[in-house]
Amino acid sequence: MASVRTTLHLTHEMQNEDRYVRVPFEVPAGVDSLQVRISYDRDAAVIDLGCEGGDGWRGWSGGARTEYVIRADDATPGYLPGRPEAGEWAVVLGVHRLPAGGAPVQVEVLMPAEAGIEHGPETVPVQRAVRGSDRGLPAASGMRWYAGDFHAHTLHSDGRESISGLASLGVQAGLDFLAVTDHNTTSHHAHLGPVGARQGITLLPGQEVTTHRGHANAFGDIGWIDFRRPAQTWVDEVERRGGVLSVNHPISGDCSWLHPLERRPQAIELWHSTWYRELIDTAPFAYHALWPAGATLLGGADFHMRSQGVGPGTPTTWVAAEDSSAEAILAGVAAGRTAIMGGLRGRDGLTVPDLLGAPVLLRLDGDVVAIDADGLVLVDGLGARRMVHGDRAVFDADPASGPYYLLHPDRQIAALCA
């Protein structure tokens, strides 16, 4: 067995120069597996962990793990399996937070690996009680409105659910689709189709491109996007590969969007689960006003674990699509056919969407249509207000005056569309 040990002292000077410190090591020919583990004072510092192989990026686990294993036929969630190719590799240390004097870190590489690999339990499929698309919301010819969520995490980054566990929660919430957007990795993509088919839900491939200056979701089976590159390259590369990029929670504490952009992406996660803390806050609309006209609006629960109390689908994003396949849902997003709903209910300790009863606001044939919103107030992007009467109310819409949103009498925002 070969073992490589490196001890280094991470300092603020190193962090200032490059937040992603490479610790190179050599993989000799004939190695069929490797294991990396780091040790440091986790009460004093937060150091992210990743891997760059000889032929390219192998994975990322951020601060969620202190070790990983890569084998020919399997890998720790967050990392790509495959026989380690001979040549120079690197352990990548993301210097997220350090104490005043810095932090010593020990890096150890074992070849072959000693540890096993845990993927979490395989959840038994549940009987679906409700499906959002069964609501039959009014749609253009050949289209149907499907309910889903564009932001969720699993064991492949810092989530606590296996992919099948997350899918099961989406099914129990009544979602038609759920995007799996683990941080800075695409290791989960290969599992989404089979797991989604077993659980009875469409799982969309995504990657949350994550940095200390903002996060963005890259949607589509388009390969890995390098989070270490300037954010404008994310926009350009995702578009070139045929995917969709969304700026995530642009106004959200220390995760707010700070990256400069010459050209903004098509989509924006306007309604993030943190907005539920105060749904009279108009900061998301203020940010949206800076966005180019015609931006696609998305919502995301940013689900990580059950202890959050907020389950998948809070908020719910509706997409008008030809069918519920991943390709059709992302085509609907690319065309801007989305609406966001905030109605909630409680279930088994989690807050989940009220898919069949909560107010919905849709764009249809140039009009804005309010469904199940009797007594609410329709507000447009210019501030004009109109009362909603009846279970289905149709309003003339100005394409330039979005977003439109529904207000409860207590000023709480209930739903919105572009």
Side-chain angles (χ1 to χ4, degrees), residues 25-47:
F25 64 94
E26 194 72 20
V27 174
V31 169
D32 62 3
S33 67
L34 62 84
Q35 177 182 351
V36 170
R37 54 193 181 201
I38 64 172
S39 58
Y40 66 97
D41 184 352
R42 300 184 76 180
D43 292 328
V46 177
I47 298 171

Side-chain angles (χ1 to χ4, degrees), residues 89-136:
W89 285 48
V91 177
V92 180
L93 302 178
V95 189
H96 185 66
R97 190 178 74 232
L98 295 174
V105 183
Q106 183 178 82
V107 179
E108 185 176 18
V109 182
L110 303 175
M111 295 174 281
E114 293 180 338
I117 296 170
E118 178 58 53
H119 289 277
E122 178 67 27
T123 303
V124 176
V126 298
Q127 183 68 36
R128 180 184 286 276
V130 63
R131 184 186 295 271
S133 53
D134 292 339
R135 186 168 180 177

Side-chain angles (χ1 to χ4, degrees), residues 68-92:
Y68 55 82
V69 171
I70 295 175
R71 300 183 184 275
D73 60 350
D74 200 4
T76 299
Y79 296 83
L80 298 176
R83 187 183 184 94
E85 64 273 12
E88 183 179 285
W89 285 48
V91 177
V92 180

